[in-house]
């Protein structure tokens, strides 16, 4: 297949492009700067424009673009940037998919759809939650509407674990120094997925016509923050008995603490399991042993 990919320079996007090429697909990476390689083409999500010539003959598109949700403190300006980058980018790609009769759109989304849900087991049929992230994901997913004629998969990604980027990369120096510990009560659920399974699941969604709609991209066995702390302690053979109080997290991280660190999302990948996807990393302990 010829596959259009946005966000191809990020942690997930770069690994996905490599995997697609290995599996024999042709990839066109959309970039917001002047193209610097034969497989790059220009797009401007804020203006809603895409290089039409690059999309000619495309079979599928994967949209992973967007400002990092936890990259900066949640000021009103940065919240607007996060929202606009996702909603405008998705709308732009969805319209391009419709205009060029592209058959499949795999659109990035997040388990933030569910909000803070305690111990509830969250399959794809659960309703939208409350809070900034839940409302953001609601509008983000709604932005695929222009591509309604295509097969659309909305991938609600959990926390993607890799020692080379994302949350795990940030945690490793702290835990290696013996300063790691649980956050708040530690009872909040942590919907993790290995980078390898994230990429394999996206490819699975692209290649399987039976998959559509919302799909949780998270491991079959989510863990609590307390269990994550124990697993990291054991994998690194370092002490990790610290406790970061809720109040300290709220002072340090602001609004993001409640929705991004202390929120509990016990998401399970029911749609993937029903479709027959085989996870390579089913348990966190095995995944960390493999990565580290």
């Amino acid at each position: 297949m010829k596959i259009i990919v946005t966000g191809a320079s990020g942690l997930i996007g770069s690994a996905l492009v490599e995997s697609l090429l290995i599996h024999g697909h042709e990839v066109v990476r959309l970039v917001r700067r002047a193209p610097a390689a034969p497989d790059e083409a220009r797009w401007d999500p804020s203006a809603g424009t895409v290089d039409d010539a690059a999309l000619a003959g495309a079979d599928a598109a994967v949209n992973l673009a967007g400002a990092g949700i936890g990259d900066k403190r949640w000021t009103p300006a940065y919240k607007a940037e996060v929202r606009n980058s996702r909603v405008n980018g998705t709308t732009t790609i969805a319209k391009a998919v419709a205009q060029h009769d592209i058959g499949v759109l795999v659109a990035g989304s997040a388990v933030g759809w569910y909000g803070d849900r305690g111990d509830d087991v969250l399959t794809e049929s659960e309703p939208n939650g409350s809070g900034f992230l839940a409302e953001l994901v609601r509008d983000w997913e709604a932005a695929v509407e222009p591509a309604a004629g295509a097969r659309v998969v909305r991938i609600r990604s959990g926390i993607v674990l890799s020692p080379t980027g994302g949350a795990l990369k940030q945690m490793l120096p702290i835990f290696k120094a013996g300063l790691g510990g649980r956050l708040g009560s530690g009872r909040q659920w942590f919907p993790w997925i290995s980078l390898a399974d994230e990429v394999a699941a996206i490819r699975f969604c692209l290649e399987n016509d039976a998959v559509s709609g919302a799909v949780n991209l998270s491991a079959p066995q989510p863990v609590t923050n307390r269990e994550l702390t124990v697993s990291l302690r054991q994998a690194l053979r370092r002490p990790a008995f610290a406790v970061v109080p809720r109040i300290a997290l709220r002072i340090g991280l602001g609004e993001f603490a409640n929705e991004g660190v202390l929120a509990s999302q016990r998401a399970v990948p029911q749609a993937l399991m029903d479709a027959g996807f085989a996870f390579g990393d089913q348990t966190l302990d095995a995944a960390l042993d493999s990565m580290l």
Side-chain angles (χ1 to χ4, degrees):
M1 289 193 291
K2 179 179 178 180
I3 302 172
I4 309 300
V5 179
T6 73
S9 62
L11 174 68
I12 301 169
S14 57
L16 175 64
V17 168
E18 181 180 0
S19 177
L20 291 174
L21 293 172
I22 288 171
H23 285 82
H25 298 294
E26 178 187 354
V27 176
V28 176
R29 297 177 293 152
L30 295 188
V31 297
R32 287 173 290 178
R33 50 171 171 73
D39 66 342
E40 292 183 346
R42 185 73 179 268
W43 79 313
D44 184 346
S46 60
T49 59
V50 184
D51 181 347
D52 287 336
L55 271 60
D59 302 291
V62 181
N63 180 40
L64 300 173
I69 289 174
D71 287 1
K72 297 180 182 179
R73 194 174 182 87
W74 280 9
T75 63
Y78 191 64
K79 287 166 71 173
E81 180 182 342
V82 169
R83 185 185 186 282
N84 292 339
S85 68
R86 281 164 169 72
V87 174
N88 295 345
T90 302
T91 300
T92 299
I93 291 300
K95 288 181 177 179
V97 164
Q99 291 168 359
H100 292 270
D101 294 322
I102 297 173
V104 184
L105 171 61
V106 175
S109 183
V111 294
W113 164 273
Y114 304 106
D116 186 357
R117 298 289 296 276
D119 291 329
D120 293 351
V121 177
L122 305 174
T123 67
E124 291 84 355
S125 62
E126 290 293 320
N128 187 216
S130 60
F132 169 71
L133 279 182
E135 293 171 3
L136 164 66
V137 177
R138 178 198 63 205
D139 295 343
W140 190 7
E141 292 195 2
V144 304
E145 181 60 30
R151 177 170 66 87
V152 176
V153 185
R154 306 187 306 278
I155 51 170
R156 293 176 181 167
S157 293
I159 310 301
V160 180
L161 297 185
S162 167
T164 63
L168 183 58
K169 182 181 179 181
Q170 295 177 359
M171 289 187 284
L172 283 177
I174 299 171
F175 275 80
K176 285 180 178 179
L179 301 174
R182 63 177 170 85
L183 305 179
S185 70
R187 292 193 297 268
Q188 66 271 31
W189 287 92
F190 183 84
W192 68 278
I193 184 171
S194 69
L195 177 60
D197 276 343
E198 173 85 3
V199 168
I202 294 173
R203 212 178 62 245
F204 183 84
C205 291
L206 283 166
E207 296 170 349
N208 287 268
D209 292 341
V211 180
S212 64
V215 176
N216 287 344
L217 266 58
S218 56
Q221 298 183 35
V223 297
T224 63
N225 175 261
R226 185 188 299 270
E227 291 168 336
L228 168 68
T229 300
V230 171
S231 292
L232 274 171
R233 183 182 73 203
Q234 293 174 342
L236 295 170
R237 297 177 176 82
R238 295 287 190 277
F241 300 107
V243 177
V244 185
R246 283 177 172 264
I247 186 64
L249 290 167
R250 288 169 179 154
I251 292 171
L253 301 176
E255 188 180 351
F256 178 69
N258 287 337
E259 296 198 38
V261 175
L262 297 171
S264 182
Q265 291 153 345
R266 193 178 182 179
V268 294
Q270 194 63 53
L272 280 176
M273 292 189 293
D274 288 348
F277 177 73
F279 283 85
D281 296 305
Q282 299 238 3
T283 68
L284 180 61
D285 287 342
L288 289 176
D289 284 344
S290 175
M291 292 178 203
L292 303 179

